[in-house]
Amino acid sequence: MQEPAISAEEPGRQAEWWAGVKSQLPIALGVIPFGLIYGVVALAAGLTPAQAQAMSAIVFAGSAQFIGAELMGKGAPLPVLWLTTFVVNVRHLLYSAQLGPDLQHLSRGWRFLLAYLLTDEAYATTAVHYADPQTPLTHKHWFFLGAGMMLWLTWQTSTAVGVFLGAEIPASWGLDFALALTFIGIVVPLLTTRPMLAAAVVAGVTAVLAHTLPYNLGLVFAGLAGIGVGVWMEKQ
Amino acid sequence: MITWLTIIGMGVITYAIRLAPIVLLERFALSPALRQALKFVPVAVLSAIILPELIMPGGGVDVSLANGRLLAGLLAIFVAWRTKNVLWTIVVGMVALWLL
């Protein structure tokens, strides 16, 4: 990750914006395959190319889009999809609440724009930058904007390529499995404590046991069960 | 039409989550208990998606050597644990699925 130059002089808007863009470059490399796979998976689930691309622009949240495409493919009804989206994305409350105090001096327009660009990836580098006491707060929102725009462009472009390729790739390749693999790659490194491990195991097993519930509600129950066990174990 | 409505609703929900604490900050102090619970959300939700994909690929529970997705998934879990790298996890898991 490239850190913005630290100097006694206050970095200008452009310098901050570029630093934000550059901070996303290594992350963007990792995001490109997910965008590609999302495009492919979304078409495999039955979305039209326009719908698949629009979801990237409107929702702009990778894991929720993967799950959303899968649930739509399985014919899950609308309230379940919305509830699932909420459960999967509720972690963004933490990011927003953490960055919020440093954005209070900004205009409404800025705050509405930056909220749209608040993804896991943009948060990761922006939070580090905001925590740096060497740089004054004055133009730090330009860093946020640069990071957010870079990730946005990467996501939209890679989705478009994935949608383009998706029509050419046969289902027998099992590319839908890439979704589960992506999640394994995200989750396993997070299992560093016993409560986290317990949350994962309980959620997974509950999901299997509850799969007969209608409307994919098993996912919601399983998530709640995992969270409950994790919190309970941490209190022990 | 319903698909479009679904997508727009998903977007509105996601945006509201991202926006609410920034705009309503003073009314949005997250309690320590809520923060603690939120911490488990990604692991719990993603695990609830992963496990059924691995052990019931055809819709029924299949814990046998004939289940290629289970074997590929276990290998991917090992790779993720050792490398902590998502891309390697995907590559090894997909190759394993094709070979097994």
Side-chain angles (χ1 to χ4, degrees):
Chain A
M1 189 189 312
Q2 186 143 1
E3 288 293 331
I6 295 169
S7 71
E9 270 181 57
E10 195 173 289
R13 292 167 189 179
Q14 274 196 348
E16 285 277 20
W17 187 82
W18 270 113
V21 170
K22 284 182 192 161
S23 77
Q24 288 294 309
L25 288 181
I27 295 178
L29 274 184
V31 166
I32 289 169
F34 302 139
L36 291 174
I37 294 168
Y38 161 74
V40 173
V41 168
L43 290 205
L47 269 67
T48 67
Q51 288 166 341
Q53 188 71 47
M55 183 140 78
S56 276
I58 296 171
V59 183
F60 190 35
S63 45
Q65 288 179 227
F66 271 112
I67 299 162
E70 180 175 297
L71 288 184
M72 277 189 251
K74 286 180 178 164
L78 192 145
V80 171
L81 269 145
W82 288 352
L83 182 62
T84 307
T85 302
F86 179 81
V87 171
V88 171
N89 281 338
V90 73
R91 68 185 186 282
H92 288 102
L93 275 180
L94 281 177
Y95 309 159
S96 182
Q98 192 197 324
L99 292 173
D102 286 329
L103 306 177
Q104 292 311 299
H105 65 290
L106 299 175
S107 68
R108 218 152 232 278
W110 264 102
R111 285 185 281 164
F112 275 69
L113 174 62
L114 292 178
Y116 171 66
L117 296 173
L118 183 62
T119 54
D120 298 89
E121 293 82 1
Y123 165 79
T125 62
T126 302
V128 171
H129 187 57
Y130 268 94
D132 171 16
Q134 304 277 24
T135 326
L137 190 61
T138 330
H139 294 134
K140 274 183 173 167
H141 51 292
W142 286 90
F143 181 101
F144 192 166
L145 182 68
M149 285 173 72
M150 179 65 200
L151 191 85
W152 190 89
L153 190 66
T154 307
W155 186 243
Q156 306 308 326
T157 315
S158 53
T159 297
V161 176
V163 165
F164 179 73
L165 293 176
E168 313 295 324
I169 296 177
S172 63
W173 286 22
L175 272 187
D176 59 302
F177 191 55
L179 170 64
L181 293 171
T182 307
F183 292 163
I184 287 173
I186 293 171
V187 166
V188 171
L190 294 176
L191 304 179
T192 51
T193 65
R194 288 170 58 117
M196 278 292 176
L197 187 60
V201 171
V202 168
V205 171
T206 308
V208 171
L209 296 178
H211 78 277
T212 48
L213 287 179
Y215 311 133
N216 278 301
L217 277 173
L219 177 65
V220 175
F221 279 116
L224 291 174
I227 294 164
V229 166
V231 169
W232 177 76
M233 276 196 60
E234 216 167 50
K235 282 183 178 152
Q236 296 302 300
Chain B
M1 202 55 226
I2 189 79
T3 305
W4 282 107
L5 186 62
T6 307
I7 292 172
I8 290 167
M10 287 172 67
V12 169
I13 290 164
T14 305
Y15 186 53
I17 292 170
R18 289 169 173 169
L19 184 66
I22 290 179
V23 173
L24 310 169
L25 195 71
E26 57 280 13
R27 274 166 283 172
F28 221 97
L30 295 182
S31 69
L34 182 58
R35 279 177 185 271
Q36 190 199 15
L38 286 176
K39 196 175 66 182
F40 290 99
V41 169
V43 162
V45 172
L46 296 182
S47 299
I49 295 164
I50 294 166
L51 205 62
E53 289 277 332
L54 299 190
I55 72 175
M56 30 190 293
V61 173
D62 176 8
V63 188
S64 74
L65 289 176
N67 182 352
R69 292 198 172 205
L70 177 58
L71 298 178
L74 289 176
L75 188 61
I77 288 171
F78 178 75
V79 171
W81 174 55
R82 294 309 298 246
T83 66
K84 307 204 185 308
N85 183 307
V86 182
L87 279 181
W88 274 117
T89 306
I90 296 173
V91 169
V92 172
M94 286 310 295
V95 170
L97 180 69
W98 290 329
L99 296 180
L100 290 170

